[in-house]
């Protein structure tokens, strides 16, 4: 049973979301602001965080940034009334997995939760098979139709990340932060060059396509 933390300062909405998710079989806890949520994440393990953005004491952006310093992999969904590109780009840059805009249908939120939790479980697996491509995280190997594909360490890590989260958009800045760390010579153009190389090396893979999301970054789409 997945354990979810719902962070929302509107008490009525918090109760509605929490009750609906419990009815769907999730173990749910709630918090009414970012400070309370952060305290809970420091003492308990959650499989997902669902958070409002505009909250007292600590907003959703600050909460997500703090959580990412503790756990780089826990999925985070933002509930927001701000359906603007700048907010989304900033959220993606600090590691938010998805957005849902208020007001929303609880069934749509439940579908997003199930999809993202499924992706997180895939990432935890040691081996992925997508179409005729197989990637093994323990052996650090990639093969297409049984033939090994020669990837650098960074190319491997980027491909495994994209395959683990199909349809999720990764901004160039988020990719740079995760895979280039503090390499001052890396730029957004560096990310583009690596994506070109990955597309060339996986050109014969028949199960996915690496797509450019204009103005943001990249995502992998299953065929």
């Amino acid at each position: 049973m997945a354990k979810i933390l719902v962070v929302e300062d509107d008490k009525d909405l918090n109760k509605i979301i929490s009750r609906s998710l419990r009815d769907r079989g999730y173990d749910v806890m709630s918090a009414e602001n970012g400070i309370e949520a952060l305290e809970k994440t420091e003492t308990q393990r959650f499989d997902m965080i669902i958070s409002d953005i505009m909250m007292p004491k600590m907003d959703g952006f600050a909460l997500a940034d703090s959580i990412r310093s503790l756990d780089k992999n826990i999925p985070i969904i933002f509930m927001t009334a701000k359906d603007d590109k700048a907010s989304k780009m900033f959220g993606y840059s600090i590691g938010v997995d998805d957005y849902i805009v208020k007001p929303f249908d609880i069934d749509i939120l439940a579908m997003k939760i199930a999809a993202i939790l499924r992706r997180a479980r895939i990432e935890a697996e040691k081996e992925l098979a997508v179409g005729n491509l197989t990637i093994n995280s323990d052996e650090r190997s990639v093969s297409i139709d049984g033939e090994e594909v020669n990837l650098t360490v960074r190319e491997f890590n980027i491909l495994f990340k994209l395959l683990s989260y199909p349809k999720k958009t990764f901004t160039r800045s988020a990719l740079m932060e995760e895979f280039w760390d503090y390499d001052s010579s890396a730029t957004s153009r560096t990310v583009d060059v690596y994506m070109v190389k990955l597309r060339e090396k996986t050109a014969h893979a028949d199960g996915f396509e690496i797509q450019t999301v204009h103005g943001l970054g990249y995502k992998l789409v299953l065929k």
Side-chain angles (χ1 to χ4, degrees):
M1 179 190 300
K3 189 171 185 178
I4 299 174
L5 177 61
V6 176
V7 192
E8 168 61 65
D9 62 313
D10 183 322
K11 294 183 179 181
D12 291 336
L13 181 57
N14 195 320
K15 289 179 181 178
I16 291 171
I17 295 170
S18 298
R19 183 173 60 248
S20 297
L21 296 182
R22 289 190 187 101
D23 290 344
R24 287 169 168 79
Y26 295 110
D27 181 7
V28 182
M29 294 191 68
S30 64
E32 294 181 3
N33 59 69
I35 296 293
E36 182 184 352
L38 190 59
E39 290 173 350
K40 291 180 183 294
T41 62
E42 290 172 342
T43 59
Q44 301 178 64
R45 181 189 175 279
F46 293 97
D47 297 295
M48 175 176 285
I49 309 292
I50 302 172
S51 177
D52 188 20
I53 292 180
M54 304 304 293
M55 297 183 294
K57 299 184 180 180
M58 176 186 282
D59 66 18
F61 292 125
L63 173 62
D65 196 34
S66 297
I67 288 173
R68 279 288 170 259
S69 69
L70 300 171
D71 187 335
K72 291 185 177 294
N73 298 315
I74 182 171
I76 300 173
I77 296 177
F78 269 169
M79 302 179 291
T80 178
K82 300 180 67 175
D83 187 22
D84 62 280
K85 180 178 176 180
S87 294
K88 287 186 176 182
M89 287 183 68
F90 183 68
Y92 285 132
S93 74
I94 59 176
V96 172
D97 292 87
D98 206 346
Y99 280 80
I100 188 163
V101 179
K102 298 177 181 178
F104 55 81
D105 187 321
I106 194 67
D107 289 332
I108 299 299
L109 175 60
M111 290 173 62
K112 285 179 177 285
I113 291 170
I116 292 173
L117 287 174
R118 184 165 56 249
R119 295 174 202 164
R121 285 193 293 269
I122 290 172
E123 188 177 44
E125 295 291 332
K126 301 301 181 183
E127 184 173 277
L128 295 176
V130 180
N132 61 345
L133 180 143
T134 301
I135 183 168
N136 187 296
S137 62
D138 276 347
E139 299 176 359
R140 312 291 293 179
S141 64
V142 177
S143 62
I144 296 177
D145 289 326
E147 295 292 327
E148 187 171 354
V149 179
N150 185 24
L151 298 182
T152 67
V153 172
R154 187 172 283 142
E155 288 169 348
F156 178 93
N157 290 337
I158 294 172
L159 180 61
F160 193 85
K161 188 75 172 185
L162 294 174
L163 285 168
S164 298
Y165 291 88
K167 294 186 179 180
K168 177 183 174 180
T169 296
F170 292 90
T171 65
R172 291 174 176 86
S173 59
L175 291 168
M176 286 172 62
E177 182 178 350
E178 181 167 355
F179 298 113
W180 276 266
D181 296 321
Y182 299 102
D183 183 354
S184 60
S185 65
T187 66
S188 60
R189 176 57 182 162
T190 307
V191 178
D192 295 337
V193 170
Y194 268 77
M195 289 302 178
V196 170
K197 291 179 180 178
L198 275 178
R199 283 169 170 156
E200 290 175 349
K201 292 183 178 183
T202 61
H204 297 296
D206 59 12
F208 65 88
E209 177 185 4
I210 298 174
Q211 295 183 352
T212 301
V213 182
H214 295 291
L216 285 174
Y218 296 91
K219 66 179 178 180
L220 183 144
V221 177
L222 302 178
K223 294 181 178 179

